[in-house]
Amino acid sequence: MKIYGDTNSGNCLKVKWVCDRLALPYSWIGVDTLKRETRTTQFLKLNSAGQVPTVEFDDGRTLAESNAIIRYLARGSDLIPADAFAAAKMDEWLFWEQYSHEPYVAVCRFQMVFLGKPASDLDPDKIKRGYAALARMEHQLAATRFLVCDAISLADVSLLAYTRLAHEGGFHLDGYAAVRRWIGEAEQSLGLPPAR
């Protein structure tokens, strides 16, 4: 399996983390999105949407969209709850992450880290919605160790990717004790060094 990804992207790192956690063999093919390497003719043959991550399996089939990829790779593993309703709750968080978390927390981080924008130039609505996402996570994580019950799942992998770097997007986690606790536990469970 080949993973086409950019290590600056949390969406790409999700796929790497799942492969590493489950000891799935892969080759990492670096793709620099800032140099528009996802727009080359060769890459667009792999993924016509021109996005990373994209996985190419040994039989030539490809799969894109980070949460679809990790959902496929983790089938039958302990990263997907055995209980059908718990698995559906995990999927609920996966969909929510792409619609209500990543567009705010990750986008603000991208603008500050890669475009050099100061926090004062960020869209106030994106900041408001980012903090709303963090507040929802805080509420859940004050009640449960991980996002779905008390065991790590793909919901945690997916949301960890950008939450652990929220400070790089101008989001302060001082008032989010449960989120901070969860970041440390999720990093440890996945064998990741603490985010700087």
Side-chain angles (χ1 to χ4, degrees), residues 9-15 52-53 66-67 97-98 102 158 161-162:
S9 163
N11 285 323
C12 294
L13 290 176
K14 292 177 203 177
V15 178
V52 287
S66 60
N67 289 342
E97 182 265 343
Q98 285 290 289
E102 194 263 0
S158 184
Y162 286 113

Side-chain angles (χ1 to χ4, degrees), residues 19-91:
C19 287
D20 291 344
R21 169 75 154 58
L22 299 177
L24 300 174
Y26 64 90
S27 297
W28 182 272
I29 311 296
V31 178
D32 190 331
T33 57
L34 294 177
K35 292 181 179 175
R36 300 183 53 80
E37 291 178 358
T38 58
R39 301 298 177 201
T40 65
T41 302
Q42 182 180 0
F43 187 84
L44 291 169
K45 286 179 183 175
L46 289 172
N47 180 352
S48 61
Q51 297 172 326
V52 287
T54 297
V55 170
E56 182 179 18
F57 296 99
D58 293 342
D59 63 6
R61 292 181 301 165
T62 59
L63 187 61
E65 295 297 331
S66 60
N67 289 342
I69 295 169
I70 63 175
R71 188 73 164 80
Y72 178 75
L73 294 176
R75 68 199 185 285
S77 79
D78 64 351
L79 289 175
I80 298 176
D83 176 77
F85 186 76
K89 292 301 283 184
M90 179 197 76
D91 287 336

Side-chain angles (χ1 to χ4, degrees), residues 149-169:
C149 305
D150 290 320
I152 193 166
S153 75
L154 294 180
D156 303 289
V157 174
S158 184
L159 279 149
L160 180 66
Y162 286 113
T163 304
R164 74 195 291 251
L165 301 176
H167 60 282
E168 294 183 358

Side-chain angles (χ1 to χ4, degrees), residues 107-113 115-128 131 166-172:
V107 168
C108 287
R109 174 183 176 259
F110 179 83
Q111 290 178 353
M112 288 183 69
V113 173
L115 301 183
K117 280 189 177 184
S120 58
D121 285 356
L122 297 175
D123 179 347
D125 186 60
K126 286 195 183 335
I127 295 168
K128 178 183 172 185
Y131 275 119
H167 60 282
E168 294 183 358
F171 295 96
H172 303 287

